[in-house]
Amino acid sequence: SILLPGLVAKTVGLMNTGSLTRKRDRWYLPLYRWALARMDVVVYGSEQQRAMWVRPGSPGWSRSRVIHNGVQLARFDPQQMRVDGHRLRRDIGIGSGCLVIGSVGNFGPVKNQVELIEALADIRSTISDCHLILAGDGPSRDLLEQRVNALQLGGQVSFLGSVADVRPALGAMDIFVL
């Protein structure tokens, strides 16, 4: 195994939580600890997260690894994204004062972009100058387009399709929704 040489992991837990502050967390905490203690390997998103769950030198520590969520910040220069975002807005006909909401991802039921389209219809009752950008493609594309047409939002929704570089789309958005 890449994570632990010489061990073929049967169970791998991914723990990427930074705080347990909700009321219900006190009930989940023992369940999490029980489950994590039975994993062959547990992967955390940061050293701080790992320290929340296991102590250095403990058996759990030796069965854990940290794999940081990798976003290359140098690739996401805010000034360049702003320039590219303004260019994209202009290219698809979005005015400078328009509120732009958007999402990037596979068009599938789990991403639930239908909910986002319906939210746009509700938002437009209060903020008329708003637009939705959807970057991606997938099995729900036809359903999404049908919903846009049914809600008469054709001029307020832009389907960008699959994009090799998401930075211009992200730069064009005032609000990103996942």
Side-chain angles (χ1 to χ4, degrees), residues 101-105 107 113 116-117 132-136 141 144 148 157-161 173:
I101 303 164
S103 188
V104 175
F107 294 169
Q113 289 97 344
L116 191 50
I117 291 166
L132 176 63
I133 292 176
L134 295 173
R141 173 120 186 201
L144 299 174
V148 166
V157 179
S158 295
F159 289 92
L160 302 183
M173 296 173 196

Side-chain angles (χ1 to χ4, degrees), residues 50-73:
R50 179 159 92 164
M52 282 178 58
W53 295 98
V54 291
R55 291 194 177 119
S58 71
W61 188 268
S62 64
R63 293 182 294 102
S64 67
R65 293 293 180 267
V66 172
I67 300 177
H68 299 278
N69 294 325
V71 174
Q72 297 173 346
L73 295 178

Side-chain angles (χ1 to χ4, degrees), residues 117-133:
I117 291 166
E118 291 171 356
L120 178 69
D122 290 340
I123 291 167
R124 287 189 50 76
S125 66
T126 306
I127 304 170
S128 60
D129 195 12
C130 61
H131 195 91
L132 176 63
I133 292 176

Side-chain angles (χ1 to χ4, degrees), residues 8 14 23 28 36 40 88 91 96 99 132 138 147 170 174:
V8 176
L14 304 174
K23 234 182 214 183
Y28 290 142
L36 293 174
D40 293 318
L88 177 62
D91 291 350
S96 61
L99 173 67
L132 176 63
R147 194 67 188 132
L170 293 172
D174 297 303

Side-chain angles (χ1 to χ4, degrees), residues 141-157:
R141 173 120 186 201
D142 289 342
L143 172 69
L144 299 174
E145 290 175 342
Q146 290 169 11
R147 194 67 188 132
V148 166
N149 291 333
L151 293 170
Q152 299 177 345
L153 295 172
Q156 288 77 44
V157 179

